Amino acid sequence: MSQSQANAIPSESLDPWRNFQQGTWNESIDVRDFIQRNYVPYDGNADFLAGPTDKTLRVWETLQNDYLKVERERRVYDVDVDTPADIDAFPAGYICEDDDVIVGLQTDVPLKRAMMPFGGWRMVKTAIKEAGKEPNPDIEKIFTRYRKTHNDAVFDIYTPRIRAARSSHIITGLPDAYGRGRIIGDYRRVALYGIDFLIEDKMRAKDKVADQPFSEHWARYREEHSEQIKALKKLKTLGEMYNLDLGRPAATAQEAVQWTYMAYLGAVKSQDGAAMSIGRLSAFFDIYFERDFAEGTLTESEAQEMIDALVLKLRIVRFLRTIDYDQIFSGDPYWATWSDAGFAEDGRSQVTKTSFRLLQTLRNLGPAPEPNITIFWDPELPEGYKEFCSAISIETSSIQYESDKQIRDRWGDDSAIACCVSPMKIGRQMQFFGARVNAAKALLYAINGGRDEVSGKQVVEGFAPVQGDGPLDFDDIWQKYEEMLDWVIGTYVEALNIIHYCHDKYAYEAIEMALHDSDIIRTMGCGIAGLSIVADSLSAIKYAKVTPIRDETGLIVDYTTEGDFPVYGNDDDLADDIAATVVHTVMSKIKEIPLYRDAIPTQSVLTITSNVVYGKATGSFPSGHRAGTPFSPGANPENGMDTHGMVASMLSVGKLDYNDALDGISLTNTITPQGLGRTEQERVQNLVGILDAGFIMDAE
């Protein structure tokens, strides 16, 4: 029986949990338990995969010709200036008549962007005007006179030193005018349990504290649960717009994919977070696929068509943002990160056939940055899967890799990446996103006693600059740097506490948090930029002769460096240890400061997209890095300074203590296919070998 024939049987009459192994997931919300009891690891190769269906190609062609082409010409395809975004704010929308496999759009037209003014009206207004439209005066009146926004609240509370640090770009990218993001709702819950069950669970959680004495925590707990319940009801309404009964659990594979997507759609309809990751879905979907295969109601082509349709929808998520925002993040990313593979805690691979189907979308639809496909890599993964990952990476450059062992050991086997490198337990943990500190610029502030090396303004008071024109002394500079970091980190964390207090109050992510446990882990995701520049500059001061050059006002604006010095990124302990010390020092200072809602402090070494912006705002360094030039990304060695090859740079990055950077460490490497070998098979095998070697070293 084909899938179309199976659809003749009303799915609501089917037992949604038929033929599933039972466990604790039957009695309480526990998606991980469901997955571990029911998924089937796959250790074969990619021979079973199907190409795109004619319907998939027609829908994709319509998108490309009628929408994406126009968007490229305009930058923004269209904006709805009359309707503040919400889960159920827009009627049902479709790409074309063939768009019936996995349905749902953010608005009523593909690529049309919705305004989300609860984060801040000024950014919304600017973005509307930059898109060539005019704001609705009635909406502007509401959000400037009657409805306070997150951005308004933040700037009401900001202190003078926060404003100074923000204006001078020593702290950049703070989520004080847009959604903070980096919250992964467990979108699978809607498929497994249905919204009616989830609402009942949230009502029980809300009322379990009903008889406790009043406290701020008590009041906020009950209010947030009320908002979550309202959001779930709106999500159910959204489903009804598309003739979907999301109140009940999904009864077929198609419904499992569709229900999960509708939950994610509710999130991107109501929040413009800096990263709106979708989580870890392949093993979950695969359970439904395998059941439907066994029942004879699904073909491989239909299964692939569903995953293609879902990925196609993820590719057209759009948010209304300013040109300045796009410059900070190097484009228009939203990081719909889909995490996959890795191992379960019982030692089984979590690679399934749907892990292959996800990668196959990069062939069926062509390469794309979204969703941000992230593989939890381990050298012990099945060889067929590793080779397929390698082949797709070589063809498309559209996959990123994370250390499964590092993540699993600390966050469990049902964790996923939010944004680029930030791991968290799905549905049990959320992050207060914190952008990052310009750690490199902080070194220049230490040298100049708090004066900005670009503007010349005195940003930080009370710090003595370097005296005299002789060579810099390492011990003196390190002491000054530590003291300056106290001020910078203190200011930074103060800003983050303010931001997240205001965000919870004025732009709360009700639907995403409705798809979390009621009692969750919260982390504060701090970050640093410019690590390699700091490490190399401190190394130059310590091992070479660095003489400052002053302008007419006495400000140190450049350096003369004589002699050789060890450089980070070449597996040289002398330089690499300096980098590790900087990361540890920053993390230690963050840990000393109380955090909003008792969040766990974490740190990332991550600047994948904002390297140019950081560089433009920063001066010259003892390492030779020139003023205004881009930083290297993440934990990468300085641009052009890693002379010992890719493996040496991996070894250097591996010396950074993951305990000091539990929010993730990013290393971006570029290698041409020709550099991997002469034949396709050589290239595939050699890339697998490089990944294995890198992650074996990482695991050690």
Side-chain angles (χ1 to χ4, degrees):
M1 183 168 58
S2 69
Q3 179 67 30
S4 59
Q5 290 173 315
N7 287 339
I9 302 173
S11 57
E12 59 267 22
S13 67
L14 298 173
D15 174 8
W17 295 348
R18 66 193 182 281
N19 300 323
F20 291 153
Q21 293 294 319
Q22 296 187 2
T24 58
W25 67 270
N26 296 90
E27 306 300 327
S28 60
I29 295 173
D30 192 342
V31 179
R32 179 194 175 273
D33 182 66
F34 167 75
I35 293 171
Q36 293 303 312
R37 292 179 185 274
N38 287 281
Y39 88 96
V40 179
Y42 178 68
D43 61 3
N45 59 30
D47 291 346
F48 71 93
L49 288 168
T53 64
D54 290 341
K55 178 180 288 188
T56 296
L57 293 176
R58 288 196 299 270
V59 175
W60 187 228
E61 183 178 7
T62 299
L63 265 176
Q64 290 177 306
N65 293 338
D66 296 353
Y67 297 100
L68 291 168
K69 180 181 178 181
V70 176
E71 183 184 59
R72 285 192 293 271
E73 294 169 353
R74 298 178 182 170
R75 179 179 163 268
V76 173
Y77 178 82
D78 195 9
V79 181
D80 187 304
V81 300
D82 302 315
T83 312
D86 203 351
I87 296 168
D88 57 354
F90 293 91
Y94 301 87
I95 297 169
C96 57
E97 290 184 1
D98 283 316
D99 180 20
D100 61 2
V101 177
I102 301 298
V103 300
L105 298 177
Q106 271 183 296
T107 57
D108 54 340
V109 176
L111 305 185
K112 183 164 78 172
R113 306 184 189 214
M115 57 178 174
M116 298 187 179
F118 295 99
W121 175 252
R122 284 176 293 178
M123 179 174 278
V124 168
K125 182 177 180 179
T126 300
I128 289 173
K129 287 181 170 291
E130 289 175 348
K133 311 267 285 191
E134 287 298 321
N136 182 316
D138 292 332
I139 301 296
E140 182 168 15
K141 184 177 181 180
I142 290 170
F143 285 95
T144 54
R145 180 176 296 186
Y146 302 117
R147 178 55 161 86
K148 190 170 188 176
T149 68
H150 161 59
N151 181 247
D152 293 331
V154 166
F155 278 85
D156 279 350
I157 302 173
Y158 268 174
T159 62
R161 72 174 189 171
I162 294 174
R163 289 173 177 265
R166 190 179 184 277
S167 298
S168 67
H169 307 290
I170 197 166
I171 301 173
T172 303
L174 292 170
D176 52 15
Y178 59 90
R180 56 190 167 193
R182 294 225 188 147
I183 299 174
I184 308 175
D186 190 354
Y187 306 112
R188 306 165 302 184
R189 295 185 180 190
V190 173
L192 185 57
Y193 296 105
I195 290 177
D196 291 345
F197 182 88
L198 298 179
I199 290 174
E200 292 173 3
D201 181 75
K202 287 296 179 180
M203 291 177 69
R204 285 192 297 269
K206 175 186 175 183
D207 289 338
K208 78 177 183 179
V209 300
D211 297 328
Q212 293 183 10
F214 179 86
S215 68
E216 184 178 350
H217 170 76
W218 175 89
R220 178 163 53 187
Y221 182 91
R222 286 184 55 79
E223 183 182 23
E224 287 182 350
H225 276 71
S226 292
E227 292 300 311
Q228 293 172 22
I229 292 166
K230 292 174 187 176
L232 287 169
K233 291 177 178 178
K234 289 180 181 180
L235 183 60
K236 191 173 179 180
T237 300
L238 174 64
E240 291 168 357
M241 293 178 183
Y242 287 92
N243 299 313
L244 305 172
D245 182 8
L246 302 182
R248 62 174 176 81
T252 66
Q254 188 276 335
E255 287 187 348
V257 178
Q258 179 68 75
W259 269 223
T260 302
Y261 171 61
M262 293 305 286
Y264 178 75
L265 188 61
V268 297
K269 277 176 169 284
S270 56
Q271 283 291 333
D272 66 340
M276 297 295 287
S277 303
I278 197 167
R280 195 167 186 164
L281 305 178
S282 294
F284 179 76
F285 288 157
D286 203 77
I287 294 166
Y288 288 87
F289 286 147
E290 289 298 317
R291 183 186 65 183
D292 286 12
F293 285 139
E295 292 178 346
T297 60
L298 184 69
T299 67
E300 180 56 44
S301 180
E302 290 167 335
Q304 185 65 55
E305 185 178 55
M306 292 177 202
I307 299 300
D308 287 346
L310 174 58
V311 167
L312 186 148
K313 291 297 173 63
L314 297 180
R315 290 186 179 189
I316 59 172
V317 170
R318 295 293 187 271
F319 295 106
L320 179 62
R321 289 166 174 168
T322 64
I323 293 173
D324 283 346
Y325 181 100
D326 288 354
Q327 289 177 342
I328 291 175
F329 293 102
S330 297
D332 191 16
Y334 40 95
W335 289 289
T337 304
W338 183 324
S339 303
D340 207 350
F343 279 88
E345 291 174 6
D346 63 9
R348 292 180 298 157
S349 161
Q350 295 197 101
V351 172
T352 64
K353 284 189 173 181
T354 301
S355 302
F356 281 80
R357 294 182 185 112
L358 173 62
L359 298 181
Q360 179 73 353
T361 65
L362 294 169
R363 284 179 171 168
N364 288 355
L365 301 174
E370 302 284 0
N372 177 22
I373 297 174
T374 299
I375 306 303
F376 286 8
W377 189 272
D378 187 289
E380 299 302 317
L381 288 174
E383 288 299 321
Y385 182 68
K386 293 199 299 182
E387 291 180 2
F388 192 56
C389 287
S390 177
I392 295 295
S393 286
I394 292 168
E395 291 175 26
T396 69
S397 299
S398 298
I399 306 175
Q400 74 169 20
Y401 298 92
E402 303 277 349
S403 169
D404 178 61
K405 186 177 187 305
Q406 293 278 21
I407 293 170
R408 187 177 70 252
D409 285 351
R410 289 164 177 82
W411 309 109
D413 60 8
D414 194 37
S415 55
I417 298 297
C419 189
C420 306
V421 297
S422 304
M424 59 191 66
K425 297 181 178 182
I426 303 174
R428 304 184 187 280
Q429 177 184 343
M430 62 88 72
Q431 182 191 104
F432 295 137
F433 167 56
R436 53 200 59 87
V437 160
N438 189 335
K441 193 175 183 74
L443 177 63
L444 300 184
Y445 272 36
I447 292 171
N448 277 306
R451 283 185 71 191
D452 190 282
E453 75 286 353
V454 176
S455 68
K457 294 180 180 178
Q458 187 72 44
V459 176
V460 187
E461 301 287 347
F463 291 85
V466 167
Q467 301 296 324
D469 295 322
L472 299 179
D473 177 75
F474 176 82
D475 292 335
D476 177 55
I477 296 300
W478 177 255
Q479 181 180 348
K480 291 181 184 301
Y481 187 46
E482 276 220 72
E483 292 171 352
M484 184 58 65
L485 283 176
D486 286 333
W487 186 94
V488 171
I489 298 301
T491 304
Y492 175 44
V493 174
E494 182 179 64
L496 296 184
N497 284 335
I498 291 168
I499 287 166
H500 294 294
Y501 166 82
C502 295
H503 205 293
D504 277 350
K505 192 173 182 180
Y506 296 101
Y508 181 65
E509 301 92 339
I511 190 59
E512 290 170 273
M513 297 312 299
L515 300 174
H516 279 73
D517 292 352
S518 292
D519 297 304
I520 61 169
I521 301 167
R522 294 179 176 87
T523 61
M524 185 71 79
C526 305
I528 60 171
L531 174 63
S532 60
I533 301 173
V534 175
D536 289 353
S537 293
L538 289 171
S539 178
I541 295 169
K542 187 172 186 178
Y543 297 106
K545 179 182 178 182
V546 176
T547 305
I549 299 173
R550 300 178 185 273
D551 67 8
E552 62 277 5
T553 70
L555 182 70
I556 297 174
V557 294
D558 206 349
Y559 306 85
T560 299
T561 300
E562 302 173 74
D564 296 328
F565 56 92
V567 176
Y568 167 72
N570 294 287
D571 192 25
D572 188 323
D573 287 346
L574 294 178
D576 298 343
D577 287 350
I578 292 175
T581 299
V582 170
V583 174
H584 178 74
T585 299
V586 171
M587 189 68 244
S588 297
K589 294 181 183 300
I590 293 170
K591 287 179 178 179
E592 293 173 358
I593 305 172
L595 299 178
Y596 172 63
R597 295 187 85 162
D598 297 321
I600 298 170
T602 62
Q603 178 180 206
S604 65
V605 187
L606 169 68
T607 44
I608 289 177
T609 58
S610 48
N611 315 313
V612 173
V613 172
Y614 280 106
K616 283 183 178 179
T618 309
S620 295
F621 286 85
S623 63
H625 184 97
R626 306 310 302 161
T629 59
F631 286 10
S632 62
N636 274 50
E638 175 70 328
N639 298 321
M641 301 293 277
D642 51 332
T643 58
H644 287 60
M646 183 173 173
V647 173
S649 68
M650 295 169 80
L651 285 166
S652 289
V653 173
K655 295 172 191 173
L656 304 179
D657 190 342
Y658 184 53
N659 292 306
D660 290 327
L662 289 174
D663 197 40
I665 301 170
S666 169
L667 171 64
T668 304
N669 274 313
T670 302
I671 187 168
T672 63
Q674 293 78 10
L676 287 168
R678 292 172 296 178
T679 68
E680 180 180 352
Q681 187 59 29
E682 281 183 358
R683 293 168 184 168
V684 167
Q685 291 295 336
N686 287 336
L687 182 54
V688 168
I690 290 171
L691 289 168
D692 281 350
F695 285 104
I696 287 172
M697 292 181 293
D698 172 73
E700 293 174 348

